[in-house]
Amino acid sequence: MDYRHAVAADARAVADLFAANHHDALTPRERAEQGFVQGGLDVDAVRSMAEDGSLLVADDDGRVAGLLGLAAPEKISSPPPPVRALLDARDSLRWRGRPLSSVPFLLYGPVVVATGYRGRGVARGLFDAALRAASGRAEVLVAFIELTNQASWRVHVDGFGMTPLGEFTLGDRAYGVVASPVRPATPPTA
């Protein structure tokens, strides 16, 4: 599996993978078992993310097996409502005793792994690729997870060890904010 930055040629496959795992495309049972994504990520949005380097993919010999968004908050020109709500909550969220507003961070997510690749370490590979990509750019990766998305919570908090920072509510939806420290790049040993 090759974990790399997305390119424009990935746009259709990434948009299709996102759409297939959207909350509205899944049954309640599928949402409970595998998790879900929300919002929009169409071909144009994917191309834009690929151009600015804010999208990683898991590439299995030319097939997109997974995707992960990774963006600097200041580079998001029109943040969707949940991202705006998280950014508005930065002063009340604390990372290691400091307000998140004082910590350099990257937004982590959405994350999707194609059905045939689940349980094979692809999500972990994308997470590790995000940590490498963030090294030197941020101190922490920050994600928000809708609290009804327990599958995502289990992967990120229980599986990857991301730390809960707090919650925010947007309309009738509650979100948990989680974070992971970015490990500094390790120089190669001789």
Side-chain angles (χ1 to χ4, degrees), residues 30-46:
E30 289 169 327
R31 289 192 296 266
E33 290 175 358
Q34 72 182 42
F36 55 88
V37 291
Q38 294 201 55
L41 198 60
D42 62 16
V43 171
D44 290 336
V46 172

Side-chain angles (χ1 to χ4, degrees), residues 103-143:
V103 179
F105 70 93
L106 294 177
L107 289 168
Y108 168 98
V111 180
V112 178
V113 174
T115 303
Y117 291 92
R118 293 189 185 132
R120 296 173 48 189
V122 174
R124 169 59 79 176
L126 285 164
F127 178 74
D128 291 344
L131 291 172
R132 287 189 303 275
S135 182
R137 297 175 53 204
E139 182 179 326
V140 65
L141 299 181
V142 176

Side-chain angles (χ1 to χ4, degrees), residues 108-187:
Y108 168 98
V111 180
V112 178
V113 174
T115 303
Y117 291 92
R118 293 189 185 132
R120 296 173 48 189
V122 174
R124 169 59 79 176
L126 285 164
F127 178 74
D128 291 344
L131 291 172
R132 287 189 303 275
S135 182
R137 297 175 53 204
E139 182 179 326
V140 65
L141 299 181
V142 176
F144 59 89
I145 302 169
E146 187 168 343
L147 294 180
T148 61
N149 193 347
Q150 287 299 297
S152 184
W153 190 268
R154 283 189 302 273
V155 167
H156 290 94
V157 176
D158 302 339
F160 299 163
M162 294 183 88
T163 303
L165 301 184
E167 297 178 7
F168 67 88
T169 302
L170 183 62
D172 62 350
R173 293 180 172 159
Y175 297 84
V177 180
V178 297
S180 180
V182 174
R183 299 182 272 284
T186 315

